[in-house]
Amino acid sequence: MSAVAASARIHPMAVVEDGAVIGENVEIGAFAHVGAKVNLRDGVKLLNHAVVTGRTVVGEGTVIHPMAVIGGQPQAIRHDGSETTLDIGARCTIREGVTINTGSSDGGGRTVVGDDNLFLANSHVAHDCILGSEIILSNNVMLAGHVRIEDKAILGGGCAVHQFTRIGRQAFIGGLSAVSYDVIPYGMLNGNPGILSGLNVVGMTRAGIERADIHTVRRAYKQIFESEGNVRANAAAIREDYLACPQALEIIDFIAAANDRAISSPNRGK
């Protein structure tokens, strides 16, 4: 039997399979479908025709709109069919037609989404992606498998992100961009192929970063990307000069982190 809180409001034409866990004040609309291994935490709202399936946890206060399919099987050729998971944080808004898949058997088996994220219509999060919090995926954004996105990044409509790519905190990806390589924190990337076009100064200002720190980050950016030589070597060479600037250090450490993918730059792709 399902564990359904007494305060939950479930439309008589919704389907809640036996075994589902339904928290306090959950609302489930007509023709919505909740699978047997789903856990809807307190205050979750499933609007009409929303589907949550698989071994999926949906955090408190998250709202899922019509025709979204959350917790579907990974679209991965090598997935062996074993049970994998999807964890979605609190207060996310998941709009019409969004798809978020569970992890894959050969990729860690777990897709993770943080808190306070906004997924606009028809955006897609593939298997084994790890997303932070306060991220915006605009309409028709496509994330391939194993993508990692840090807090407060914004992805413009229709952009596509290659598998295993990292996108740093508070990066901004322009609409219709092709993200083939890692994007540094606070970076701005546009175009197909995607080219790093500077820093997200507007976002940094709105986040309360001091003007002096923004200028320091700009100086580090120029040393990394406009100096001769390898980007990783340039970043490593200046690290000790920026220990007092957390934002610059974050970019440098992001570049230094072990990863098989190259770093997006103002020249790569031209």
Side-chain angles (χ1 to χ4, degrees):
M1 295 293 291
S2 301
V4 180
S7 58
R9 296 181 292 281
I10 302 174
H11 194 281
M13 299 186 75
V15 174
V16 178
E17 296 184 17
D18 287 347
V21 177
I22 310 298
E24 298 288 347
N25 299 309
V26 168
E27 297 180 21
I28 302 176
F31 306 107
H33 191 121
V34 181
K37 297 178 180 179
V38 169
N39 183 338
L40 303 181
R41 298 273 173 82
D42 296 349
V44 168
K45 293 183 180 180
L46 265 59
L47 304 187
N48 299 345
H49 296 277
V51 174
V52 184
T53 186
R55 186 172 288 281
T56 299
V57 176
V58 180
E60 291 83 355
T62 286
V63 179
I64 302 177
H65 286 249
M67 304 302 177
V69 180
I70 308 304
Q73 283 283 309
Q75 300 174 65
I77 294 173
R78 291 192 295 272
H79 179 61
D80 64 9
S82 60
E83 187 173 74
T84 55
T85 65
L86 167 63
D87 292 323
I88 295 177
R91 299 174 304 279
C92 292
T93 299
I94 300 174
R95 294 302 303 258
E96 297 82 359
V98 170
T99 50
I100 306 178
N101 295 159
T102 59
S104 67
S105 56
D106 66 338
R110 188 172 180 229
T111 302
V112 180
V113 173
D115 301 330
D116 300 298
N117 293 305
L118 173 58
F119 300 90
L120 296 186
N122 300 307
S123 53
H124 172 67
V125 179
H127 56 88
D128 306 297
C129 288
I130 306 293
L131 275 59
S133 298
E134 298 182 62
I135 294 165
I136 298 175
L137 266 58
S138 300
N139 301 69
N140 303 300
V141 168
M142 299 170 285
L143 304 185
H146 312 276
V147 167
R148 291 178 176 262
I149 303 180
E150 297 179 357
D151 295 350
K152 299 184 178 181
I154 298 175
L155 281 69
C159 74
V161 184
H162 194 283
Q163 62 187 14
F164 293 100
T165 299
R166 298 178 300 154
I167 297 177
R169 186 161 69 93
Q170 218 164 312
F172 183 92
I173 311 299
L176 301 178
S177 295
V179 186
S180 299
Y181 306 110
D182 292 353
V183 181
I184 60 169
Y186 313 105
M188 291 187 66
L189 183 135
N190 289 281
N192 182 2
I195 295 173
L196 194 67
S197 56
L199 294 170
N200 181 15
V201 174
V202 172
M204 296 173 76
T205 302
R206 289 175 178 172
I209 298 173
E210 297 291 336
R211 182 178 296 271
D213 289 329
I214 294 175
H215 286 310
T216 300
V217 175
R218 276 177 162 161
R219 185 168 66 251
Y221 176 92
K222 289 181 179 180
Q223 289 177 279
I224 293 168
F225 293 104
E226 297 180 12
S227 299
E228 293 185 5
N230 179 276
V231 166
R232 294 185 191 275
N234 291 347
I238 64 171
R239 190 179 191 280
E240 296 301 314
D241 298 334
Y242 289 96
L243 296 178
C245 180
Q247 295 81 20
L249 198 60
E250 185 176 359
I251 292 172
I252 292 166
D253 289 344
F254 180 93
I255 292 171
N259 195 276
D260 292 334
R261 303 204 64 76
I263 302 292
S264 296
S265 76
N267 297 312
R268 189 179 299 280
K270 287 187 178 178

